[in-house]
Amino acid sequence: MLININPLSLFQTKAKIKKVFREAKASYLNRIRFAVGMFYFGMGLSFATWASRIPDIKTALHLTEGDLGSILFALPVGQLVIMPFSGKMVTKFGSHRILIFSLIMYVLCLINLGLATTSLQLSLGLFLFGLFGNLANIAVNTQGVYTEVLFKKTIMSSFHGMWSFAGFTGALVGLGMLALKLSPLHHFIIVAGIVLLMVAFNFKFLVRAKEKKKPKEEGKKLFVKPDTALLWLGVIGFCSMASEGVMFDWSGVYFKDIVKAPGPLVVLGYTSFMIMMASGRFLGDGLINKFGRERVMQISGVMISAGLFTAVFLPYIIPCTIAFMFVGLGVATIVPTVYSIAGKNPTVPAGEALTIVSSVSFLGFLMGPPVIGHIAQSFGLQFSFAFIGIFGVLIAFMVSKIRT
């Protein structure tokens, strides 16, 4: 046994949600769910909008690939800097207040990226973009946990599906803006205006909840050992996000160099992965409610491994496309489920619990792609994909051991 608590069944939310929300009618609950979902969508749309114009900004600032790589690192640095404080801020000021503030700042930072004329300005802009993005991420997932409690069933996966759907929407809008020959700045201003309208129409429906205060003796400690269950949930999230990060950054390279996909088919692997990940998130809640979190997470881990190993041993277009679909379905529900469980920890406020889990998980997203690059350089890209494939088996194993 790894730990002496079963978070898959014993975690209960410790936030005190106002009576008006707990006794709301179904129609009003659905309005709350829609509002929280739109905040997820706004975050995803903002990030996808930035990502869709990276090549144009690179050209406008006359950046080399090396310059761009160094500048892009400013975004995760901003996320890491705010991580120790984001959970405490959400707990102290309320997730609904922090979410409204951080999302507004997030889209203003998006506009600021369009104003950058030097590498230094772009780096600083990305640092702030990452900082407010992480703050909004903790706040919106805390809102997701509270909303899930109101519905008394799993709905977190569909919220993350809204983020993924926003990624597609942002990419399509980006193509449209390019066709209209609009500059990144004008593009960013238009999207920021849309997101701000979403905030204006939905902020009143966010859940207002007050976290229970910690015991005084615990509050006096400068360093408090993180809850063991949260650390293990973070490790599960780490394995999933490492697999997800590899798909984002290396699926196209794999199809080009290993599969030898011709021309436009190079993007087939990434596209198939993204479609199935988004679809899996919208379908995941129903599967979890029917079969249980533990079983769905175990199957998801097996699917990640099966997909990556299939891509390694059958490096051809059709098998690899199907394999990447399996990986997409595999990673779809793991992180939303981990966040859902963490947010209901009985000893740690939801915002702080999510910060612990997301901090460990996010390291996988940061470290996975560069580790793949170093392994590929020494042993080949197929070997590196097989190495990441082990993570899926680890997920299934760890989930089965997190029990009393």
Side-chain angles (χ1 to χ4, degrees):
M1 297 181 184
L2 297 179
I3 57 179
N4 60 359
I5 189 170
N6 180 7
L8 298 178
S9 61
L10 298 182
F11 278 11
Q12 299 294 328
T13 184
K14 64 185 296 295
K16 184 179 180 182
I17 300 175
K18 288 187 176 181
K19 186 176 181 180
V20 66
F21 293 100
R22 289 187 284 109
E23 298 182 356
K25 293 182 179 180
S27 59
Y28 189 66
L29 290 179
N30 288 329
R31 183 64 181 89
I32 293 172
R33 182 177 181 176
F34 175 81
V36 175
M38 292 310 293
F39 274 86
Y40 276 90
F41 185 88
M43 288 180 59
L45 182 63
S46 299
F47 184 82
T49 297
W50 148 249
S52 71
R53 299 309 292 263
I54 290 176
D56 301 290
I57 292 175
K58 174 180 177 293
T59 301
L61 299 184
H62 307 288
L63 302 173
T64 64
E65 282 76 8
D67 293 335
L68 180 61
S70 299
I71 291 171
L72 290 177
F73 192 65
L75 194 152
V77 169
Q79 293 176 316
L80 290 172
V81 166
I82 195 64
M83 271 186 180
F85 311 102
S86 52
K88 297 183 185 303
M89 293 173 66
V90 166
T91 300
K92 183 175 182 179
F93 299 107
S95 58
H96 58 290
R97 295 189 184 95
I98 293 297
L99 179 54
I100 295 166
F101 166 74
S102 57
L103 185 55
I104 290 173
M105 294 302 298
Y106 194 49
V107 296
L108 292 179
C109 288
L110 176 65
I111 295 175
N112 189 50
L113 294 175
L115 291 169
T117 57
T118 66
S119 299
L120 181 60
Q121 289 175 344
L122 183 60
S123 297
L124 180 59
L126 283 172
F127 175 83
L128 294 173
F129 194 59
L131 189 149
F132 287 109
N134 179 263
L135 191 58
N137 177 56
I138 299 301
V140 78
N141 278 294
T142 304
Q143 280 288 308
V145 169
Y146 294 160
T147 308
E148 192 172 67
V149 170
L150 295 175
F151 275 81
K152 299 179 181 179
K153 64 179 181 179
T154 301
I155 59 173
M156 182 67 82
S157 187
S158 65
F159 285 143
H160 285 254
M162 289 297 289
W163 194 96
S164 299
F165 178 66
F168 286 114
T169 304
L172 291 175
V173 171
L175 290 174
M177 296 296 178
L178 285 172
L180 294 173
K181 298 182 179 179
L182 290 179
S183 68
L185 176 59
H186 291 115
H187 178 184
F188 294 170
I189 290 174
I190 292 171
V191 170
I194 293 172
V195 175
L196 289 175
L197 284 175
M198 290 180 186
V199 172
F201 282 108
N202 293 287
F203 80 93
K204 291 183 179 180
F205 297 94
L206 294 178
V207 180
R208 290 162 176 79
K210 184 179 181 180
E211 296 287 354
K212 294 181 181 178
K213 294 181 179 179
K214 296 180 181 180
K216 291 183 178 179
E217 62 271 16
E218 184 178 337
K220 292 179 180 178
K221 294 181 181 180
L222 182 60
F223 297 102
V224 179
K225 183 180 178 181
D227 188 288
T228 306
L230 294 177
L231 292 178
W232 279 107
L233 288 171
V235 173
I236 293 173
F238 176 98
C239 292
S240 178
M241 292 197 76
S243 305
E244 187 176 333
V246 166
M247 287 290 101
F248 274 111
D249 290 5
W250 287 97
S251 58
V253 177
Y254 196 88
F255 258 63
K256 181 179 179 181
D257 296 344
I258 304 300
V259 179
K260 306 294 183 182
L265 292 182
V266 167
V267 302
L268 186 59
Y270 174 78
T271 303
S272 62
F273 164 78
M274 284 296 297
I275 290 174
M276 297 311 292
M277 182 176 72
S279 301
R281 285 179 169 170
F282 284 114
L283 297 173
D285 291 327
L287 294 174
I288 290 171
N289 289 319
K290 183 175 182 179
F291 299 107
R293 287 169 169 163
E294 183 176 353
R295 183 176 297 180
V296 171
M297 289 178 73
Q298 287 177 321
I299 294 174
S300 296
V302 171
M303 291 181 73
I304 292 173
S305 292
L308 288 169
F309 287 137
T310 298
V312 169
F313 293 111
L314 296 173
Y316 311 105
I317 289 181
I318 294 178
C320 275
T321 300
I322 297 173
F324 283 16
M325 287 181 177
F326 268 78
V327 179
L329 284 174
V331 302
T333 59
I334 292 177
V335 170
T337 303
V338 163
Y339 282 7
S340 175
I341 296 169
K344 299 180 181 68
N345 187 289
T347 61
V348 183
E352 295 181 33
L354 287 168
T355 299
I356 294 170
V357 172
S358 66
S359 297
V360 179
S361 301
F362 187 67
L363 286 176
F365 197 78
L366 286 178
M367 294 173 61
V371 167
I372 278 289
H374 288 292
I375 296 176
Q377 187 173 355
S378 301
F379 303 101
L381 194 55
Q382 285 175 280
F383 183 88
S384 61
F385 266 57
F387 174 78
I388 296 297
I390 298 173
F391 285 9
V393 176
L394 288 176
I395 290 172
F397 175 77
M398 285 187 286
V399 169
S400 67
K401 291 298 179 180
I402 299 180
R403 60 176 64 213
T404 46

